[in-house]
Amino acid sequence: MYRDESDYGRIRGLLSEILRRQGPPVDCTAGDIDWWRFAWGASPDDIETARLWEDERGDLVAVAWFGYALVDQFVHPDRRDLEDAMLAWAEAQ
């Protein structure tokens, strides 16, 4: 789960890495997540519902975040193997 603001920085970094690796179009950029969190009517504290997945080194590789009756999922291109687990987690919530 999301722990503190340092995790928010890690989420932004993951989104930047996804954009760097995949190029546009992407589902979300670091700017988008800032907009969603601070200007789109959601509470900035809603980010605390996010679930984070790390690799064996402790690097952030995937995030799932609920908002407005849906879940946004961001996953590093090298870790698409996590997508089924991410969906299972979201459905269990």
Side-chain angles (χ1 to χ4, degrees), residues 18-57:
I18 292 169
L19 177 61
R20 184 187 75 75
R21 291 280 305 273
Q22 295 181 176
V26 294
D27 293 330
C28 179
T29 66
D32 291 329
I33 201 169
D34 289 345
W35 176 259
W36 296 349
R37 185 174 182 202
F38 297 107
W40 197 33
S43 167
D45 295 335
D46 287 349
I47 191 71
E48 294 175 6
T49 65
R51 166 70 162 85
L52 285 62
W53 284 262
E54 298 175 340
D55 65 12
E56 57 282 347
R57 295 182 314 243

Side-chain angles (χ1 to χ4, degrees), residues 1-88:
M1 293 303 276
Y2 181 90
R3 294 176 298 250
D4 56 35
E5 284 300 305
S6 67
D7 279 342
Y8 188 70
R10 296 172 67 213
I11 293 168
R12 294 180 90 254
L14 174 62
L15 292 172
S16 295
E17 177 65 8
I18 292 169
L19 177 61
R20 184 187 75 75
R21 291 280 305 273
Q22 295 181 176
V26 294
D27 293 330
C28 179
T29 66
D32 291 329
I33 201 169
D34 289 345
W35 176 259
W36 296 349
R37 185 174 182 202
F38 297 107
W40 197 33
S43 167
D45 295 335
D46 287 349
I47 191 71
E48 294 175 6
T49 65
R51 166 70 162 85
L52 285 62
W53 284 262
E54 298 175 340
D55 65 12
E56 57 282 347
R57 295 182 314 243
D59 294 332
L60 183 63
V61 293
V63 177
W65 181 24
F66 282 99
Y68 296 109
L70 56 90
V71 63
D72 290 292
Q73 296 186 162
F74 319 114
V75 62
H76 191 281
D78 294 339
R79 293 306 310 265
R80 296 266 183 225
D81 60 299
L82 293 172
E83 290 175 335
D84 288 341
M86 295 171 74
L87 287 172

